[in-house]
Amino acid sequence: MKRAIIALLLGSLLTACGERKSSAERFAEDGILLLGNNSEPQSQDPHKATAVADGKIICTLLEGLVRPSATTDGDVLPGVAERWEHNESADIWTFHLNRDAKWSDGTPLTAHDFVYAYHRLLHPQFAGKYAEMLYPLLHAEDYNKGKCDWQQVGAKALDEHTLQLTLGGPTPHLPRLLLHFTWFPVPTHKVEALGGMLDRRSLWTRPEHWVGNGAYVLDAHRFNDYLSVKPNPLYLRKGELRNKGIRFLPIVNGYTETRMYMGGKLHITNNVPPEMLSYTRGKCTQDYCQDPYYCAIFYRLNTTRGPLRDLRVRRALHLAINREALVGKVVRGAGKPTTVFTPPGAGYAVHPSTEPATQEEREALARKLLADAGYPDGKGFPILELMTTSRDVQRVMAETIQAMWEKVLGIHIDIRSCEWTAYKAAQQNMEYDISSSSWSGDYLDPATFVELWRSGGGNNCTGWGSPECDAELTAARNTGNADERRAHLQRAEELMLQAQPILPLYHSERTYLRSSRHIGGWQPRLLDNFPLDAVQVKP
């Protein structure tokens, strides 16, 4: 009898367990998207954030003058601005704001909120790392560097609902730039009530204080667990929302994320680690995705430190890396080897300077350059440190390149793995020797990559700068001729590559998992900027 009762209880328990719904199923029934988002967000403040993970969240909470299309890469649709026009030379743009636009607390949203936001990000005392995104505005760079007054910057509210932007030169691609969160408005009244324009510690982005104008508002934030958003009842297009909320999960480890997906805890992952590509492709045939991505993987070099000041050393490090082996054995085909920085696209391509044709010849030249710099066979070379994030693929890639440098050059490089926040802080403060890095395009144009290397740029972080490169970048901004603009950008990138403040490695492709059962309306994006309010979550 006792055995029969135990068997009955176990049978009931197993049946109950078998019928228990997964998190993905339960949240899908409630219309909530579960999204892997790589890392704990730094900030929901568009003037402090620099990471892709932050940008995905911000783009659900705030909306700019325009918004991305849910069907076509590169297309822009009306956002807060319902229409706009520009003069013949495309250096003066006028945006007419929707008169029904409101902040989530009911306060009217006006053109003055955009001007306030641009003033805040560009203010020299605010020290916004992404301030250069607004440099196309007339005199924006001069103001950001303390060389002129704010009144000279080309951002004016002609009235409550009309914003005029005057650019430093012809900018026919301005609508694409405006998709980036640095061009979004901030709630003037809320920022001022909680510390003011220059307070970088303001609490206005906390869930209990949040005021936005996007499709969603902040709901809750549990550190290293999740950040959730819920529909904004005052959003201009609230009737077009395809889901009832999003939960962003900060999962750094790709193995953990993939296991969570297979265990029914996510609808869409951020990435599949290279070591799991083959297995995942076979296991999740209908859900596996590998899409083109406007993204470069590279190493930054701190050109102000020790032997890295010497171009010959930087070139030797560059030439000693076998990129074909790196992509084939470590990245496992989720990218294409490269010795240039900007991914091809938008009619742009840079051809690397003449280098040896074979890897053997490249390695021989690398050894010669290192010897010419005073380190024959690596003798006397100080131990440098390669800083990576805590992601497994970054660690394995670092170990692979570490071994290449030791074998080819006879030098030893230490590896330091950091959690995301510490890694970002160290890179921004240039507290590193070599830094594992990536850059995904902020908009679909080569300038989003090449402008990174302007002298003193907030995301340069290498200590390198060149007046010649800066001049080419400025010339690219000031011409209205598309071919001339492209040529100036190509020349700027060539100058940077010749100076070698970075080591390009490969152009990435995005590998991830998406539930074919629960997700509808999804379209791949080169910028990975699909509007999440257009994602349909199905039971």
Side-chain angles (χ1 to χ4, degrees):
M1 178 67 70
K2 180 185 279 188
R3 288 180 180 176
I5 292 173
I6 291 174
L8 182 62
L9 289 173
L10 284 173
S12 300
L13 178 62
L14 290 172
T15 300
C17 289
E19 292 176 353
R20 185 176 297 160
K21 293 180 179 179
S22 69
S23 298
E25 291 172 324
R26 288 187 288 104
F27 278 88
E29 289 178 352
D30 293 335
I32 307 295
L33 171 65
L34 297 177
L35 184 72
N37 200 38
N38 186 47
S39 61
E40 177 65 24
Q42 293 174 297
S43 178
Q44 283 71 254
D45 189 325
H47 300 153
K48 293 167 59 179
T50 61
V52 172
D54 298 358
K56 287 184 179 180
I57 296 171
I58 291 169
C59 287
T60 69
L61 298 171
L62 295 170
E63 185 168 276
L65 294 164
V66 300
R67 57 194 174 99
S69 166
T71 57
T72 309
D73 252 323
D75 282 1
V76 296
L77 301 174
V80 177
E82 56 188 8
R83 59 186 175 86
W84 54 88
E85 67 268 354
H86 60 76
N87 63 354
E88 185 175 353
S89 56
D91 61 354
I92 300 178
W93 291 69
T94 304
F95 295 86
H96 303 276
L97 276 53
N98 191 312
R99 292 176 177 270
D100 293 329
K102 290 182 174 62
W103 293 105
S104 55
D105 64 356
T107 302
L109 192 158
T110 73
H112 299 287
D113 291 314
F114 284 92
V115 175
Y116 179 88
Y118 304 160
H119 189 182
R120 182 174 184 249
L121 179 55
L122 287 168
H123 200 293
Q125 294 179 33
F126 189 79
K129 294 296 184 181
Y130 249 149
E132 64 264 29
M133 284 292 293
L134 270 57
Y135 280 8
L137 289 173
L138 182 67
H139 298 309
E141 182 175 4
D142 286 342
Y143 175 71
N144 185 235
K145 294 180 177 179
K147 297 179 180 179
C148 73
D149 296 328
W150 169 249
Q151 288 70 25
Q152 295 177 259
V153 178
K156 309 294 181 188
L158 301 185
D159 57 42
E160 296 290 292
H161 301 101
T162 311
L163 177 70
Q164 186 177 84
L165 301 182
T166 302
L167 293 308
T171 314
H173 57 289
L174 179 64
R176 288 186 177 181
L177 305 188
L178 299 177
L179 290 172
H180 193 261
F181 60 77
T182 46
W183 292 88
F184 291 1
V186 295
T188 305
H189 64 290
K190 198 68 174 181
V191 176
E192 284 297 306
L194 292 171
M197 177 181 284
L198 302 181
D199 183 6
R200 291 184 62 89
R201 297 183 179 182
S202 173
L203 301 180
W204 79 272
T205 58
R206 294 279 184 87
E208 63 269 26
H209 299 305
W210 179 261
V211 170
N213 74 313
Y216 305 90
V217 294
L218 270 175
D219 180 33
H221 184 190
R222 293 179 59 179
F223 186 75
N224 277 339
D225 188 0
Y226 68 85
L227 182 148
S228 61
V229 299
K230 60 185 179 181
N232 174 5
L234 297 183
Y235 178 54
L236 276 172
R237 285 167 289 276
K238 60 180 182 291
E240 298 177 17
L241 267 66
R242 304 286 297 278
N243 55 64
K244 297 179 181 178
I246 307 169
R247 183 171 282 202
F248 297 89
L249 281 69
I251 313 164
V252 175
N253 188 290
Y255 294 98
T256 301
E257 185 181 44
T258 304
R259 287 196 302 269
M260 287 177 65
Y261 181 87
M262 293 180 175
K265 296 181 179 179
L266 286 169
H267 295 134
I268 305 175
T269 71
N270 183 67
N271 74 89
V272 176
E275 294 85 350
M276 297 188 73
L277 290 181
S278 179
Y279 172 80
T280 308
R281 194 182 292 118
K283 182 77 172 176
C284 307
T285 306
Q286 299 298 316
D287 297 354
Y288 179 82
C289 303
Q290 184 164 344
D291 302 334
Y293 189 25
Y294 209 39
C295 178
I297 308 298
F298 62 105
Y299 280 0
R300 282 179 169 89
L301 303 177
N302 187 338
T303 63
T304 69
R305 285 194 173 183
L308 297 177
R309 296 187 182 96
D310 193 321
L311 174 58
R312 294 168 296 185
V313 172
R314 302 196 298 267
R315 289 288 292 164
L317 294 172
H318 163 74
L319 292 165
I321 298 173
N322 186 332
R323 289 161 174 80
E324 296 289 341
L326 181 72
V327 171
K329 296 178 180 179
V330 178
V331 182
R332 309 290 178 92
K336 293 179 172 58
T338 187
T339 55
V340 301
F341 181 58
T342 305
Y348 178 91
V350 167
H351 302 287
S353 57
T354 304
E355 292 183 353
T358 67
Q359 186 61 31
E360 291 76 14
E361 291 172 331
R362 289 166 60 84
E363 292 174 3
L365 179 55
R367 285 188 287 268
K368 180 181 183 304
L369 287 169
L370 195 66
D372 290 346
Y375 307 104
D377 299 320
K379 294 176 182 176
F381 195 86
I383 294 179
L384 299 178
E385 191 175 71
L386 168 54
M387 180 180 71
T388 76
T389 67
S390 54
R391 287 183 60 198
D392 286 337
V393 66
Q394 296 293 334
R395 176 183 53 79
V396 175
M397 188 165 71
E399 291 171 351
T400 302
I401 293 175
Q402 177 194 52
M404 290 177 181
W405 284 335
E406 189 147 7
K407 178 183 177 182
V408 175
L409 301 175
I411 64 175
H412 176 75
I413 304 293
D414 283 342
I415 297 173
R416 172 166 60 111
S417 179
C418 303
E419 61 86 22
W420 179 252
T421 303
Y423 161 83
K424 286 295 290 184
Q427 183 168 273
Q428 291 284 352
N429 296 327
M430 290 186 59
E431 296 169 350
Y432 75 91
D433 296 321
I434 305 169
S435 174
S436 177
S437 305
S438 65
W439 188 260
S440 51
D442 292 319
Y443 48 95
L444 198 56
D445 187 276
T448 187
F449 286 88
V450 190
E451 282 278 357
L452 201 66
W453 309 116
R454 186 177 288 275
S455 298
N459 290 298
N460 182 319
C461 304
T462 65
W464 177 82
S466 160
E468 293 80 11
C469 180
D470 294 345
E472 294 291 345
L473 291 172
T474 299
R477 285 181 184 172
N478 292 337
T479 179
N481 183 288
D483 292 335
E484 290 180 6
R485 179 175 180 271
R486 188 182 307 113
H488 285 302
L489 290 173
Q490 289 170 335
R491 178 57 181 157
E493 180 163 349
E494 288 166 0
L495 288 166
M496 182 275 291
L497 292 171
Q498 290 167 15
Q500 207 77 66
I502 65 168
L503 309 177
L505 298 174
Y506 64 94
H507 290 145
S508 181
E509 291 183 338
R510 186 158 180 262
T511 56
Y512 60 101
L513 293 166
R514 183 188 73 242
S515 173
S516 55
R517 172 186 172 185
H518 294 302
I519 298 300
W522 178 273
Q523 297 288 336
R525 283 289 176 273
L526 277 173
L527 297 177
D528 188 24
N529 66 341
F530 185 82
L532 295 177
D533 55 284
V535 178
Q536 182 180 5
V537 184
K538 303 176 293 182

